[in-house]
Amino acid sequence: MSQTSPTSPIVRLFERSSSFVSFVLIGTGSIVLMGWCFGIPALIGGIFGSSPMRPLTALATSSGGLALVILNTKSRKSFWMPPITMALSCLVVLIGVVSLLNKTPGLEEFLRISSSPVPTPASAGTMSSASAITVTLLGTALLLMCGTERWINAGQLIALMALVVVLLPGLGYVYGAGDLLQTRFYSMIGVLTVLSLAFLSAGILFVRPGLGIMKTLSGDEPGSVALRRVLPVVVIGPVFLGWLRLTGERSGYYDASFGVAIMTLSNILLVAGALYFSARSTNKSRAILEQSNFELKLAEDKFRTTLDHMLEGCQIIGYDWRYLYLNAAAEKHNRRPNAELLGKKYMDMWPGIEATEVWTVIRRCMEERLPHRMENEFTFPNGSKGWFALKLEPVPEGIFILSEDITKEKQLSEELKKHHEQLENLVVERTSQLEAAIKELEAFSYSVSHDLRAPLRHIDGFVELFHSKESSGLSPAGRRYLDIISEAARKMGNLIDDLLSFSRMGRVEMMKSRVDMNALVRDAIAELKAQINGRVVHWNVGDLSSVTGDASMIRQVWANLLSNALKYSSKKDESIIEVGSRVEHEEFIFYVKDNGVGFDMQYAPKLFGVFQRLHNTRDFEGTGVGLANVRRIVTRHGGRTWATGEVGKGASVYFTVPIQSPEDAS
Amino acid sequence: MKDLKSIVLVEDNPNDVELTLEALREFNLANEVVVLEDGAQALDYLFAKGSFQSRQPGNPAVVLLDLKLPKVDGLEVLRQVKSDPSLKSVPVVMLTSSREEQDLARSYNLGVNSYVVKPVSFGEFVNAVKRLGVFWALTNEPPAGSIKSAQQ
């Protein structure tokens, strides 16, 4: 608050006036010097009949102006600017000191002062002592302007002093105080010199308005504002009053003592009035300030209360890494009292933090001023751990850390992960159990194929032997018994074979490819021709869609369905067998329809079961595995099977194959 | 008369042995039939070791090998026979009731000469044995004056 912002409009105004003044000074000095050089009296500044400006004063004015210009430039920090400014300042000091010692320098000779257009009094060629002192003081002040604030402060005081010294003859001119100007000290000081030196003083005072004593004048504080209001009144008012008093006195309206009384009273009124108004405006600004402070505090309190009660932890860490603010949630997150941390350095409070990732991130946020968010597992000094979601934001005070305790969520997700893994393991375990069970089944069917068939083979073999070697003495009935035994053994062999093929259909790996159904049906019908035995059979085969599947399996499906149709229509005079396909709901539907014995629909669900038969063996041979095999194969292709029929009127068997064959149907 | 090569039958089931011998007798074969009951015995005989160390030297005309055998199974016997330089030219016929495709594939991979699924019907069985295609190695028994008995 105490530091005036460099962008303050007052400061800028002061700087600009200083800059303006510096150019006026350079111009004035140069014109006067030219006047002396070329002998032009109009240019040397003998205005109002006063003494002209001395060449040395003009030189000092120009040099001072130039130094001010440099002090006002933006590049005042560049390395060659300060030396030039200092050299110019030194030149000004030198001119002042030399003039003070009343030594006529060769310069005036060089400038052909002898051909001076103006008659010069006794101290011709040199400036008055007042000018010399003022020039010395101003040179010194300029020199000090190159230094730090402390030096600038001193420089401004010296410039002020110079202003006082030079204002006295100035006022003298205003009041026509010829006597004063006749003193040796002020002799020969011209109006232009007075104005130029006053301007130079002002330029020096305003060149660094934000620093030193000028800070008070340029500031934003109520005091500074009041000072800026009162100062012109207090400076100009008495001058005007003094002139008024003198004029009245000279005109004979009143005598000197009355004049002094009037003027004193006027001054009292003026100063008192100025002070009164200044005080009033100060009070008013103070009230405004207090109000705004109050409002600011309210707003701050509101923010602070919000921060205090936020569920997220809030921490502010200053540029010096000290904790500036911590809310209640942060206390919970840090697991230590806030009082223990406030004002302490972050890294001192968390020893070893410098080795962690979170430190790297916080430090980068502090240095690069970029926001960042992360999830971090924090290890507390006591060894316990916690997960936190952190948001880091650069703020004017340093950095702001918003933390959210996500330890529970992390634990939950960890647990979920663990459960998931357990489930996965369980699935693997169960799968291997299933695989073992399947292996066992395979071994079982293998031994069925091997061991169950052996006794049958023996029955058949020995009956055969008996038949060929020992049956000569047997009765016809005895021979029939032997035939039945052989036939039974053969049937059981077929049953076992079918059962094995059924179990194999469920196990073998599917070799998927494009399957031409027309070709499969053609082949299957060709194979069946041998069984027709002169029967009349009409095959009505429509155009069939191709599918994706295991060709040898689907061949089995057609073989079973077509041989069934042929078998169950064998009692008819003419068999009519229809084969066709259509597309419905993303699947191909195939069907085989016959005009055979048909079946009762109430037994339809049994049709596709293993060893389920709807007709006795005497009428139709079969083991009851054919349709079960069809269903198993179709199911493995992702399709469905069903049948419709009516006793005596034939049956239709349907199966479907999905158009988009499932990748791993099994 | 040259020595007739023997026929080796490896079969653990006595009924199957009897039926096979009966079938072979139908052809009036003069060859000696050596019956071995398990895979270990078969290997001992074929490699002339163990209890068969002192058998007459020479390889058999054909080996009829059951797939499922005690101790060492038929596939292992087949593998050892087909990987032995002096034995691998001996024809081996797998004689088994198994229709399992993987057995078939494994037998052919090991270099079996023929693979016969024993049909349940004795007649079919006889035909299968006839089809074996190893008759060039077998000699029919002459009507009278058995060589077999002369050998014995």
Side-chain angles (χ1 to χ4, degrees):
Chain A
M1 286 293 272
S2 64
Q3 195 173 359
T4 311
S5 156
T7 50
S8 150
I10 301 294
V11 168
R12 272 209 307 258
L13 178 72
F14 284 2
E15 279 175 348
R16 242 178 266 146
S17 1
S18 170
S19 189
F20 173 74
V21 161
S22 64
F23 286 110
V24 168
L25 290 173
I26 292 172
T28 311
S30 308
I31 291 169
V32 171
L33 273 178
M34 263 168 19
W36 283 107
C37 287
F38 304 111
I40 308 166
L43 296 184
I44 55 172
I47 42 174
F48 301 129
S50 72
S51 307
M53 188 186 260
R54 295 283 134 196
L56 277 180
T57 315
L59 187 64
T61 305
S62 297
S63 308
L66 199 58
L68 266 187
V69 169
I70 296 171
L71 281 169
N72 267 314
T73 52
K74 296 266 176 248
S75 53
R76 61 178 88 130
K77 284 267 146 66
S78 79
F79 87 103
W80 57 272
M81 285 299 192
I84 291 182
T85 319
M86 281 157 92
L88 287 169
S89 310
C90 287
L91 180 65
V92 176
V93 173
L94 198 69
I95 291 169
V97 170
V98 166
S99 305
L100 209 56
L101 294 176
N102 213 3
K103 294 254 171 70
T104 309
L107 183 68
E108 302 224 342
E109 305 294 328
F110 172 74
L111 294 170
R112 284 183 289 150
I113 201 80
S114 48
S115 63
S116 160
V118 184
T120 50
S123 52
T126 58
M127 56 178 90
S128 65
S129 303
S131 306
I133 285 174
T134 311
V135 166
T136 311
L137 287 174
L138 289 176
T140 313
L142 272 172
L143 200 58
L144 290 171
M145 281 297 138
C146 302
T148 57
E149 185 169 359
R150 239 170 76 200
W151 296 112
I152 287 170
N153 191 52
Q156 284 170 347
L157 281 171
I158 290 170
L160 200 62
M161 218 190 295
L163 190 63
V164 170
V165 171
V166 87
L167 270 183
L168 193 57
L171 281 177
Y173 277 118
V174 171
Y175 298 144
D179 296 351
L180 175 75
L181 298 175
Q182 291 311 311
T183 62
R184 175 147 180 81
F185 183 70
Y186 280 118
S187 67
M188 308 314 296
I189 187 158
V191 172
L192 190 63
T193 308
V194 167
L195 284 174
S196 299
L197 294 180
F199 270 133
L200 188 55
S201 309
I204 291 170
L205 282 171
F206 287 162
V207 78
R208 295 280 182 270
L211 301 172
I213 57 167
M214 289 304 286
K215 202 157 68 181
T216 314
L217 186 63
S218 68
D220 293 332
E221 294 88 338
S224 301
V225 175
L227 181 63
R228 283 200 292 274
R229 280 194 195 138
V230 170
L231 204 57
V233 178
V234 173
V235 168
I236 296 166
V239 172
F240 177 70
L241 286 173
W243 176 80
L244 217 62
R245 178 207 144 186
L246 260 182
T247 312
E249 225 175 79
R250 280 178 191 157
S251 308
Y253 292 125
Y254 40 81
D255 61 4
S257 41
F258 189 69
V260 170
I262 287 177
M263 182 170 156
T264 308
L265 187 62
S266 308
N267 274 342
I268 288 168
L269 284 176
L270 183 79
V271 172
L275 280 176
Y276 171 76
F277 283 107
S278 146
R280 221 173 68 162
S281 96
T282 308
N283 286 351
K284 213 155 108 192
S285 12
R286 169 111 192 239
I288 292 168
L289 194 72
E290 267 174 6
Q291 176 64 29
S292 64
N293 271 347
F294 178 68
E295 278 165 12
L296 199 69
K297 199 175 167 334
L298 269 186
E300 213 180 275
D301 282 354
K302 215 158 83 184
F303 274 121
R304 187 168 270 264
T305 312
T306 313
L307 279 187
D308 282 346
H309 293 98
M310 264 168 74
L311 288 176
E312 288 91 351
C314 302
Q315 319 184 20
I316 298 173
I317 297 173
Y319 287 102
D320 56 358
W321 290 104
R322 287 182 197 282
Y323 277 103
L324 294 177
Y325 172 78
L326 293 132
N327 72 352
E331 186 165 87
K332 258 189 252 164
H333 291 179
N334 285 327
R335 301 186 191 173
R336 58 203 290 182
N338 284 345
E340 201 178 303
L341 298 173
L342 276 170
K344 302 279 174 42
K345 281 197 168 186
Y346 181 75
M347 44 280 217
D348 294 343
M349 289 293 100
W350 308 104
I353 192 82
E354 272 111 327
T356 63
E357 190 201 344
V358 68
W359 163 256
T360 316
V361 172
I362 291 177
R363 207 190 57 203
R364 273 186 55 191
C365 179
M366 186 77 97
E367 285 167 2
E368 293 168 22
R369 315 303 297 157
L370 290 172
H372 193 86
R373 44 180 66 197
M374 67 181 300
E375 284 188 358
N376 180 58
E377 189 179 24
F378 194 85
T379 308
F380 291 92
N382 66 3
S384 63
K385 288 177 177 192
W387 274 95
F388 296 94
L390 301 178
K391 280 184 205 159
L392 309 173
E393 293 280 347
V395 288
E397 293 89 344
I399 51 167
F400 179 81
I401 303 176
L402 192 79
S403 57
E404 197 184 334
D405 192 341
I406 52 165
T407 311
K408 277 208 178 102
E409 286 89 328
K410 278 281 171 187
Q411 275 170 356
L412 273 179
S413 84
E414 281 295 314
E415 236 163 80
L416 206 64
K417 215 168 116 188
K418 222 165 68 192
H419 282 306
H420 188 76
E421 271 167 17
Q422 275 174 355
L423 199 67
E424 203 103 302
N425 288 341
L426 201 65
V427 167
V428 169
E429 196 184 312
R430 290 284 149 84
T431 308
S432 73
Q433 280 173 1
L434 267 177
E435 275 168 359
I438 289 171
K439 277 236 167 72
E440 214 168 286
L441 272 176
E442 272 175 27
F444 171 75
S445 63
Y446 184 88
S447 71
V448 164
S449 90
H450 226 278
D451 301 348
L452 230 53
R453 288 167 115 265
L456 288 174
R457 203 170 53 243
H458 301 151
I459 292 170
D460 192 57
F462 284 102
V463 166
E464 195 73 20
L465 272 178
F466 187 78
H467 216 295
S468 61
K469 294 189 174 173
E470 311 287 339
S471 66
S472 48
L474 278 183
S475 65
R479 282 204 195 113
R480 200 173 67 83
Y481 297 154
L482 280 182
D483 286 344
I484 290 170
I485 293 170
S486 285
E487 183 59 23
R490 195 183 58 79
K491 265 191 190 153
M492 186 152 180
N494 287 343
L495 272 174
I496 290 171
D497 284 349
D498 284 354
L499 200 56
L500 285 175
S501 100
F502 176 71
S503 99
R504 196 158 48 235
M505 280 306 164
R507 291 203 314 272
V508 295
E509 225 170 283
M510 298 215 295
M511 311 280 281
K512 288 204 173 174
S513 63
R514 199 83 200 132
V515 179
D516 180 0
M517 292 299 224
N518 290 314
L520 285 188
V521 169
R522 211 163 41 235
D523 294 350
I525 290 173
E527 274 176 33
L528 288 171
K529 289 259 161 81
Q531 300 174 21
I532 288 173
N533 293 330
R535 279 169 52 199
V536 182
V537 181
H538 299 286
W539 299 97
N540 299 329
V541 183
D543 188 38
L544 304 174
S545 319
S546 293
V547 300
T548 305
D550 185 307
S552 70
M553 283 185 170
I554 294 174
R555 183 194 307 276
Q556 181 87 50
V557 169
W558 285 116
N560 285 349
L561 295 183
L562 294 169
S563 77
N564 274 355
L566 197 64
K567 182 162 71 185
Y568 293 112
S569 64
S570 59
K571 299 275 196 292
K572 296 275 172 179
D573 298 335
E574 285 185 12
S575 296
I576 303 167
I577 298 171
E578 193 185 319
V579 181
S581 75
R582 60 173 191 269
V583 178
E584 229 172 68
H585 305 301
E586 310 268 307
E587 57 186 8
F588 299 112
I589 301 176
F590 298 92
Y591 64 91
V592 176
K593 189 176 173 191
D594 64 59
N595 61 339
V597 292
F599 62 93
D600 189 338
M601 276 302 276
Q602 65 168 311
Y603 301 121
K606 286 187 157 189
L607 218 52
F608 293 93
V610 185
F611 293 147
Q612 296 288 344
R613 302 209 64 218
L614 299 185
H615 306 282
N616 63 45
T617 319
R618 210 167 38 245
D619 294 337
F620 300 102
E621 281 199 354
T623 53
V625 176
L627 283 181
N629 242 343
V630 167
R631 168 162 286 180
R632 181 166 267 198
I633 292 168
V634 169
T635 307
R636 283 193 69 182
H637 281 80
R640 302 169 292 125
T641 51
W642 70 97
T644 58
E646 202 180 320
V647 176
K649 294 204 172 157
S652 302
V653 184
Y654 299 85
F655 72 93
T656 67
V657 179
I659 291 176
Q660 198 65 47
S661 169
E663 272 315 301
D664 46 3
S666 55
Chain B
M1 205 61 202
K2 63 167 178 121
D3 282 347
L4 281 175
K5 288 183 170 180
S6 59
I7 294 172
V8 171
L9 172 64
V10 191
E11 175 64 71
D12 60 317
N13 189 309
N15 287 341
D16 272 326
V17 170
E18 193 178 337
L19 284 171
T20 309
L21 289 178
E22 200 58 51
L24 290 173
R25 199 170 292 134
E26 294 253 311
F27 311 141
N28 294 322
L29 289 183
N31 307 56
E32 181 196 7
V33 178
V34 179
V35 178
L36 303 164
E37 287 174 3
D38 59 51
Q41 267 191 23
L43 289 173
D44 280 355
Y45 180 86
L46 291 168
F47 288 95
K49 58 184 183 183
S51 53
F52 294 100
Q53 224 163 11
S54 53
R55 75 166 172 91
Q56 281 190 325
N59 288 338
V62 64
V63 177
L64 303 175
L65 188 60
D66 190 15
L67 193 71
K68 231 179 122 191
L69 288 169
K71 294 181 186 172
V72 181
D73 75 4
L75 284 173
E76 175 59 20
V77 174
L78 176 66
R79 193 187 64 75
Q80 292 204 21
V81 167
K82 289 302 175 187
S83 55
D84 184 82
S86 64
L87 280 173
K88 68 178 175 194
S89 59
V90 177
V92 178
V93 177
M94 295 311 274
L95 204 61
T96 170
S97 50
S98 169
R99 279 182 195 278
E100 289 291 314
E101 281 171 19
Q102 45 174 315
D103 286 341
L104 195 94
R106 265 150 68 192
S107 300
Y108 277 112
N109 280 342
L110 291 171
V112 78
N113 298 77
S114 184
Y115 184 98
V116 173
V117 179
K118 289 186 252 179
V120 176
S121 157
F122 180 70
E124 286 171 37
F125 171 58
V126 170
N127 286 334
V129 174
K130 275 183 183 168
R131 281 201 310 270
L132 287 180
V134 290
F135 289 103
W136 59 271
L138 309 172
T139 305
N140 282 350
E141 194 173 9
S146 165
I147 295 171
K148 205 177 172 183
S149 55
Q151 275 181 318
Q152 289 160 352

